[in-house]
Amino acid sequence: MTVSQLREKCVGTVKAKEGEEELLEQFWAANHYVAGSYDTQGDFERLNQDMVAVEKGIANRLFYLALPPSVFKPVTSMLKAACMSPSGWTRVIVEKPFGKDSASSADLSEHLQKLFTEEQLYRIDHYLGKEMVQNLISLRFGNMIFGPTWNRDSIASVTITFKEPFGTQGRGGYFDEFGIIRDVMQNHLLQILCLAAMEKPVTTSPDDIRNEKVKVLKAIPSLSLSSCVLGQYSGDPDSDDPDARLGYLEDPTVPEGSSCPTFAAAVLKINNERWDGVPFMLKCGKALDERKAEVRIQYKDVPGDIFNGGTVRNELVIRVQPDESVYVKVMTKTPGMSFNLQETELDLTYKSRYKDARLPEAYERLILDVFVGSQMHFVRSD
């Protein structure tokens, strides 16, 4: 394949914004394509020779493993044997799924740690690059208004939700190998849970933040089936969307009779002083009623109610997508002569408040972090 042929395949997805057409041309001009197999050292030696031919001075190398998980091992072994930078740094980005269970994850981790140092490895979870996920640390630890109430004394529950309005769209064969739990819950949602529940780190350095995340995970007991709900979507025969009329098992790429879940809900508990007794509810699914990802923190009822049951619980909602926002549901008096209460919102919607701000894509942030060597938003081996 030539770079021109590769560019043709990307016409529908790699587009320049107005005024950035020349930058896109410069990007494509910097591309090179080398074909080879995943497990042949000669092909990787040829890749190394091609890289040396275009490198000047101190040359850093970044390898992004956007590959089938089954070839992570041979590819990384070949990279270590033939493609390490002789003059600069070498870093490796590993995409999910990072193993299929605890044993395979540990096996892959052990393999990678024999080849690379922890500073060279970047296990990417693109949700950690999203604006509002990164904002969780700032909201929690940069505002006195939230800190004193961020505990079991004031908070009734925490719900972390991920919803997609479409099904597998012909990718059911891939999805069926992993399911919604491995695809979304145990990585995206669990990482958000860690940021919402962790203690204040000593500093904002990557290791201090990741140390606090690990403490949260260690405090979560193993999940029992009685605390989970699993489901699989069926088709809606009345829908105008042809894709919506197909159930999961009607996707021709899905194995017949598959019991793979496309929806999962789980209630996690955290056994520590801050969160004892507070349920953390994780919910994720495909082919649902809307596209949404959010963290919803519901506070307890106001003690000593003087409004005859007219109040409802306060909520702090952090909307990750779409339309990034932070809003707080509060009770206020209705305007006018009456003294009735109504629920309203203190609303910070980014596209309204920061009209001219450019919010970079999650992968854009994270790849830049790799270039500068920051591992704050990446997952550590433990």
Side-chain angles (χ1 to χ4, degrees):
M1 183 186 290
T2 65
V3 173
S4 296
Q5 290 171 325
L6 180 64
R7 183 171 183 174
E8 288 176 11
K9 292 178 178 290
C10 300
V11 166
T13 52
V14 180
K15 301 176 182 179
K17 295 180 180 178
E18 187 177 349
E20 296 183 352
E21 292 82 4
E22 181 58 31
L23 291 174
L24 183 60
E25 293 301 320
Q26 293 174 19
F27 167 76
W28 280 114
N31 273 261
H32 301 265
Y33 185 86
V34 180
S37 60
Y38 292 135
D39 57 357
T40 303
Q41 185 161 333
D43 290 341
F44 282 85
E45 290 171 351
R46 187 157 51 85
L47 171 62
N48 183 60
Q49 292 168 4
D50 283 23
M51 288 190 289
V52 169
V54 298
E55 291 172 341
K56 299 175 183 178
I58 296 176
N60 300 316
R61 294 181 179 179
L62 169 58
F63 298 100
Y64 194 130
L65 303 186
L67 300 169
S70 58
V71 301
F72 281 173
K73 279 189 173 183
V75 168
T76 50
S77 295
M78 294 297 105
L79 291 177
K80 179 65 175 180
C83 293
M84 301 295 284
S85 172
S87 58
W89 49 252
T90 300
R91 293 169 183 160
V92 180
I93 298 177
V94 185
E95 265 279 11
K96 72 176 179 71
F98 199 77
K100 196 167 184 178
D101 51 28
S102 295
S104 59
S105 177
D107 180 58
L108 178 57
S109 185
E110 183 181 355
H111 170 81
L112 293 174
Q113 287 174 329
K114 288 178 180 177
L115 302 175
F116 308 103
T117 64
E118 185 64 35
E119 289 71 30
Q120 292 176 303
L121 290 170
Y122 290 76
R123 301 168 188 84
I124 195 167
D125 182 337
H126 77 275
Y127 254 64
L128 292 180
K130 289 189 175 290
E131 178 75 22
M132 300 314 297
V133 174
Q134 294 191 354
N135 206 9
L136 261 170
I137 292 177
S138 304
L139 280 171
R140 283 195 60 191
F141 304 120
N143 296 286
M144 189 62 185
I145 191 172
F146 295 126
T149 64
W150 207 274
N151 53 54
R152 64 188 180 91
D153 295 328
S154 301
I155 291 176
S157 67
V158 179
T159 304
I160 304 171
T161 303
F162 173 94
K163 300 166 77 174
E164 286 182 334
F166 51 83
T168 51
Q169 297 181 322
R171 294 178 61 250
Y174 165 81
F175 181 84
D176 201 79
E177 292 184 37
F178 301 100
I180 197 71
I181 296 174
R182 292 189 185 96
D183 194 43
V184 175
M185 183 177 283
Q186 66 86 26
N187 39 58
H188 301 336
L189 301 194
L190 211 53
Q191 286 296 317
I192 295 174
L193 181 149
C194 287
L195 290 171
M198 72 183 190
E199 296 298 318
K200 188 175 185 178
V202 177
T203 70
T204 55
S205 72
D207 271 335
D208 284 341
I209 290 174
R210 296 194 294 184
N211 286 342
E212 296 303 331
K213 285 183 178 181
V214 170
K215 290 179 185 177
V216 173
L217 294 173
K218 287 182 176 179
I220 299 175
S222 297
L223 197 59
S224 64
L225 277 176
S226 61
S227 298
C228 303
V229 174
L230 303 178
Q232 188 182 85
Y233 71 85
S234 57
D236 178 6
D238 299 324
S239 175
D240 295 330
D241 182 357
D243 184 56
R245 290 198 291 268
L246 297 176
Y248 179 70
L249 295 178
E250 294 167 297
D251 183 328
T253 63
V254 172
E256 186 177 349
S258 170
S259 59
C260 176
T262 64
F263 173 86
V267 180
L268 275 64
K269 299 294 181 66
I270 301 176
N271 287 341
N272 64 17
E273 186 177 9
R274 179 181 295 273
W275 298 114
D276 186 31
V278 178
F280 280 74
M281 292 172 277
L282 309 185
K283 299 190 291 186
C284 52
K286 288 184 169 293
L288 299 176
D289 59 337
E290 61 182 333
R291 175 177 177 259
K292 181 171 75 174
E294 69 176 23
V295 183
R296 186 173 294 263
I297 296 155
Q298 186 177 92
Y299 283 78
K300 292 184 175 181
D301 293 319
V302 175
D305 177 31
I306 61 172
F307 297 104
N308 299 316
T311 61
V312 296
R313 290 179 171 182
N314 300 135
E315 289 186 342
L316 168 64
V317 182
I318 299 148
R319 175 69 61 85
V320 177
Q321 68 181 28
D323 301 330
E324 295 91 341
S325 61
V326 182
Y327 59 93
V328 184
K329 293 188 173 185
V330 297
M331 300 305 301
T332 62
K333 173 189 170 296
T334 55
M337 299 294 288
S338 72
F339 202 69
N340 297 325
L341 295 184
Q342 69 174 15
E343 184 182 48
T344 189
E345 295 173 356
L346 306 178
D347 187 0
L348 171 59
T349 299
Y350 270 49
K351 68 180 182 182
S352 300
R353 177 63 179 85
Y354 305 110
K355 292 181 180 179
D356 298 323
R358 176 184 174 275
L359 299 182
E361 294 290 334
Y363 279 109
E364 187 179 351
R365 295 175 191 269
L366 295 175
I367 292 173
L368 179 60
D369 281 346
V370 180
F371 280 127
V372 301
S374 172
Q375 293 184 308
M376 179 186 297
H377 304 300
F378 292 84
V379 181
R380 201 167 59 188
S381 62
D382 55 349

